[in-house]
C-alpha cells in the first residue's frame, strides 16, 4: 500500500556531515571500537593514579582548587579524550580523596571490590532504568532477587519486600513515609472523630536515640511533621539506646494525646559503631503496637559476617530495615536498599501514570519497580552487588568486614593503653572515638588542640580522621573500613595527631605565659 504525496529522497548515509561528528560520540554498534579505546584510556589513567598514590589526600584547599575548576570554559570542548583526561587529572584525579589508601580513617567510605567495578562499567554502558519492566527486563528481576536475598539474611519472612535506594538517608525517609501513612490509616480507622490531615500530623512522634542518624530529623522535616516530632532518648555508657527511657517516652506520648508513629533503632551508630538492644526494643514496640525501623546502614555487613551475625539478633522483628551495601559490602556509591516486613506497605509509594505504569499492569502482573520507589528513573545499582556475590560470594565479603572490626578492636586497645589519649566506649563495629589530652590543659585548650590536629593532619595529606562531639566536647574518630589498614598505619596516624596537638597546646601555653592577663 502506498501513501499519496511527494516522494522524499532519504540520504543513504542517514546523517549530514555536520551531525556526523556529534553522533560519533554516541555509544552504538558502530562506535564499539571507540568505546573500547576511550574507556581503556580512562581506566589506564585511574589505574596509574591509584598505583602512585602514597597518601590519601594531597591537602589541597578550596582556595587552590576553585580557580582551577572555575577557569575552565565549558563552551569550548577539547575535542579529544586524552586532552580531557589530562585536564581531569589536574582538577580531580590528582587531588581526589582516595579511600583505598590505608591511612584514610575518616568517614564511612569503603574501598571497593573489583567485581563491583565491573558491574558499574556494565550498568552505565547499557544504561537501564529500573523504574519499569519495559526499560529494564532482567535488571528488574536481578534487583528483586537481591532484595529477597537480603530480606532472607535479615529474617523478615515470606511477605517481605523492598527497593534499592540512593543511600541510607533516602531509605530512612521512605521508611518514615511508610510508617507515617500506616499510622495515619490506623488512627482514622480507630476513631469516629473527624480530624484534618494537619491535625493528625501534628500529633505524630518519632523516637530515636541521641546517637541516631541525623537523617531521621531530616525525614521528619521533609514529611511535614513538626520541629518537635523527633524525640531523642538518652544512651547508656556504651552509647546504646536506654530501653527504659524508650518505654517511658512511649507512655508519656500517649498520656499527652500524642501518637508514636515509629521507633528508630540503630544497628551501627555513625560515631560509636554501637548497636541498640534490638530484642528489648522489639518487645517494647510490639507491646505498644508501634512501627519499628532499624537503621542498619552501617551494621548491615554483619549479615554476612561468619563470626558476628548474632550482634544483629532482633533485627528480624523490624517492620523496616535500612541497609547500605556501599558502606560495609565494599560497593561503589550508590548501592543501598530499604527492606520491609510486609510488602503491602510499599503501596504508599505507588502512583500510577498512564504513560509509565498504568494500573492495569498490576492486573497483568508486570513487575514495575517504580510502584515501590520514591524515585522514578533509577540506576541499575543492584548489578554491582549481584556480580560481587556471583564472583566473590557473601562469605568473602563477611571476611573483609570482620577484618576491619578486628582492627578497630585492636586500635581501641592501643589507644586505651596510650596515656596521650582518652578513648570513649568500645565499638561493636569499626569506629574508635578518642581525643588527645595535653597535660594540665583546660577544656577549651583540649578542644582546640584536637581540632587543630585534625586540620593539620588533613592539610599534610598524610592521613585523614573524622571529628565529632561527645557530651559537648570535641573528639577525633577513626572509621576503619579498609582491610589493608594495618596497626602500623593506625599508630603512625596517632603519632602525627599527638605531634600536631602537642605542638598546638605548647605554643598556646607559651603565648599565654608571655601575655599574662592583668
Amino acid at each position: 500500500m502506498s501513501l499519496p504525496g511527494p516522494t522524499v529522497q532519504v540520504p543513504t548515509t542517514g546523517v549530514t556531515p555536520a551531525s556526523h561528528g556529534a553522533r560519533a560520540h554516541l555509544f552504538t554498534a558502530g562506535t564499539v571500537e571507540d568505546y573500547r579505546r576511550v574507556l581503556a584510556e580512562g581506566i589506564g589513567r585511574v589505574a596509574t593514579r591509584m598505583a602512585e598514590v602514597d597518601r590519601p589526600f594531597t591537602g589541597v584547599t578550596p582556595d587552590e582548587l576553585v580557580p582551577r575548576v572555575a577557569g575552565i570554559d565549558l563552551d569550548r570542548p577539547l575535542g579529544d579524550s586524552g586532552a580531557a583526561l589530562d585536564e581531569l587529572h589536574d582538577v580531580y584525579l590528582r587531588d581526589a580523596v582516595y579511600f583505598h589508601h590505608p591511612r584514610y580513617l575518616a568517614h564511612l567510605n569503603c574501598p571497593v571490590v573489583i567485581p563491583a567495578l565491573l558491574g558499574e562499567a556494565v550498568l552505565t554502558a547499557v544504561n537501564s532504568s529500573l523504574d519499569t519492566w519495559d526499560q529494564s527486563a532482567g535488571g528488574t528481576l536481578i534487583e528483586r532477587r537481591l532484595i529477597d536475598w537480603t530480606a532472607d539474611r535479615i529474617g523478615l519472612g515470606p511477605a517481605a519486600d523492598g527497593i534499592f535506594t540512593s543511600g541510607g538517608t533516602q531509605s530512612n525517609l521512605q521508611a518514615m513515609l511508610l510508617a507515617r501513612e500506616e499510622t495515619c490509616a490506623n488512627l482514622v480507622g480507630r476513631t469516629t472523630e473527624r480530624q484534618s490531615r494537619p491535625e493528625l500530623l501534628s500529633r505524630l512522634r518519632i523516637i530515636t536515640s541521641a546517637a541516631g542518624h541525623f537523617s531521621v530529623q531530616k525525614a521528619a522535616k521533609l514529611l511535614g511533621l513538626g520541629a518537635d516530632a523527633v524525640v531523642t532518648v538518652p544512651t547508656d555508657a556504651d552509647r546504646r539506646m536506654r530501653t527504659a527511657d524508650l518505654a517511658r517516652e512511649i507512655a508519656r506520648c500517649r498520656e499527652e494525646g500524642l501518637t508514636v508513629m515509629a521507633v528508630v533503632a540503630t544497628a551501627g551508630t555513625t560515631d560509636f559503631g554501637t548497636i541498640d538492644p534490638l530484642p528489648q526494643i522489639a518487645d517494647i514496640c510490639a507491646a505498644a503496637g508501634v512501627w519499628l525501623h532499624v537503621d542498619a546502614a552501617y551494621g548491615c555487613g554483619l549479615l554476612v559476617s561468619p563470626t558476628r551475625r548474632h550482634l544483629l539478633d532482633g533485627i528480624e522483628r523490624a517492620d523496616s530495615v535500612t541497609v547500605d551495601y556501599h558502606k560495609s559490602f565494599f560497593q561503589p556509591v550508590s548501592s543501598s536498599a530499604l527492606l520491609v516486613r510486609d510488602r503491602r506497605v510499599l503501596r504508599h509509594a505507588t502512583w500510577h501514570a498512564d504513560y509509565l505504569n498504568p494500573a492495569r499492569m498490576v492486573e497483568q502482573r508486570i513487575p514495575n519497580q517504580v510502584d515501590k520507589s520514591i524515585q522514578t528513573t533509577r540506576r541499575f545499582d543492584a548489578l554491582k552487588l549481584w556480580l560481587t556475590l556471583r564472583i566473590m560470594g557473601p562469605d568473602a565479603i563477611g571476611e573483609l568486614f570482620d577484618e576491619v572490626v578486628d582492627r578497630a578492636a585492636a586500635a581501641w586497645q592501643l589507644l586505651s593503653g596510650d596515656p596521650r589519649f582518652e578513648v570513649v566506649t568500645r565499638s561493636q563495629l569499626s569506629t574508635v572515638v578518642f581525643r588527645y589530652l595535653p597535660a594540665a590543659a583546660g577544656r577549651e585548650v583540649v578542644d582546640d588542640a584536637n581540632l587543630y590536629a585534625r586540620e593539620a593532619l588533613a592539610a599534610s595529606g598524610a592521613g585523614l580522621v573524622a571529628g565529632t562531639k561527645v557530651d559537648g566536647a570535641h573528639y577525633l574518630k577513626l572509621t576503619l573500613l579498609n582491610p589493608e589498614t594495618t596497626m602500623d598505619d593506625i599508630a603512625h596516624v596517632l603519632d602525627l595527631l599527638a605531634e600536631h596537638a602537642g605542638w598546638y597546646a605548647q605554643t598556646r601555653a607559651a603565648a599565654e605565659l608571655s601575655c599574662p592577663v592583668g
Side-chain angles (χ1 to χ4, degrees), residues 443-467:
R443 174 169 173 167
E444 182 182 348
V445 173
V446 173
D447 276 356
D448 291 347
N450 281 279
L451 287 171
Y452 174 83
R454 183 190 175 206
E455 293 170 0
L457 178 68
S460 75
L464 288 172
V465 300

Side-chain angles (χ1 to χ4, degrees), residues 395-411:
D395 290 347
I397 301 170
E399 288 171 13
L400 292 177
F401 192 62
D402 268 1
E403 280 194 60
V404 296
V405 177
D406 288 340
R407 201 82 71 252

Side-chain angles (χ1 to χ4, degrees), residues 80-372:
D80 175 73
S81 58
L85 287 169
D86 288 340
E87 181 183 82
L88 187 66
H89 179 272
D90 292 339
V91 298
Y92 175 61
L93 287 175
R94 179 174 58 204
D95 298 304
V97 178
Y98 285 94
F99 304 138
H100 78 285
H101 194 279
R103 290 177 185 168
Y104 178 86
L105 308 170
H107 301 288
L108 282 166
N109 304 111
C110 59
V112 295
V113 293
I114 293 173
L117 294 178
L118 173 61
E120 189 76 57
V122 173
L123 75 91
T124 54
V126 180
N127 200 33
S128 298
S129 180
L130 266 286
D131 43 334
T132 57
W133 167 262
D134 63 358
Q135 298 178 73
S136 61
T140 291
L141 301 183
I142 286 173
E143 177 171 291
R144 288 189 167 208
R145 181 69 185 90
L146 285 169
I147 288 293
D148 291 343
W149 176 82
T150 306
D152 185 60
R153 285 270 172 169
I154 295 171
L156 290 177
D161 201 352
I163 193 74
F164 268 63
T165 70
S166 65
T169 295
Q170 183 185 330
S171 291
N172 288 343
L173 171 63
Q174 185 165 351
M176 294 302 96
L177 167 68
L178 302 180
R180 185 194 70 181
E181 294 306 294
E182 284 291 293
T183 301
C184 286
N186 290 335
L187 286 173
V188 171
R190 285 201 307 259
T191 180
T192 57
E193 179 186 352
R194 299 189 64 178
Q195 300 178 76
S196 68
R197 179 79 171 184
E199 287 175 327
L200 284 174
L201 296 183
S202 68
R203 292 169 38 219
L204 297 183
R205 295 293 181 269
I206 302 168
I207 301 179
T208 189
S209 86
H213 197 260
F214 79 93
S215 60
V216 177
Q217 282 83 354
K218 189 172 185 177
K221 179 179 180 179
L222 292 174
L223 292 173
L225 306 180
D228 55 351
V230 179
V231 178
T232 58
V233 297
T235 57
D236 60 20
D238 293 324
R239 308 290 164 171
R240 304 168 77 210
M241 183 189 290
R242 292 182 183 270
T243 54
D245 289 295
L246 169 62
R248 277 194 291 271
E249 281 299 328
I250 292 176
R252 180 191 66 80
C253 286
R254 288 191 169 173
E255 289 171 2
E256 295 180 6
L258 305 172
T259 300
V260 178
M261 72 175 225
V263 168
V264 180
T266 310
T269 57
T270 302
D271 276 344
F272 306 105
T274 49
I275 299 169
D276 288 333
L278 302 180
Q280 296 92 325
I281 293 172
D283 287 342
I284 293 169
C285 290
V290 172
W291 181 288
L292 171 59
H293 175 65
V294 176
D295 180 359
Y298 178 14
C300 65
L302 297 172
L303 294 173
V304 290
S305 167
T307 63
R308 294 178 170 89
R309 172 59 180 84
H310 63 280
L311 294 176
L312 289 179
D313 286 352
I315 195 172
E316 70 281 356
R317 299 172 62 187
D319 294 287
S320 56
V321 177
T322 287
V323 296
D324 270 11
Y325 308 109
H326 62 224
K327 284 187 172 68
S328 45
F329 277 65
F330 305 97
Q331 300 293 292
V333 175
S334 296
S335 185
S336 308
L338 171 69
L339 290 300
V340 295
R341 163 180 300 285
D342 183 352
R343 63 173 62 94
R344 293 175 298 178
V345 303
L346 291 169
R347 72 188 185 280
H348 298 302
T350 302
W351 192 273
H352 293 290
D354 289 338
Y355 58 83
L356 186 70
N357 62 328
R360 67 176 183 275
M361 287 186 173
V362 178
E363 299 173 3
Q364 297 169 358
R365 301 182 68 183
I366 295 175
N368 290 325
Q369 292 293 82
V370 72
D371 294 346
K372 308 173 186 179

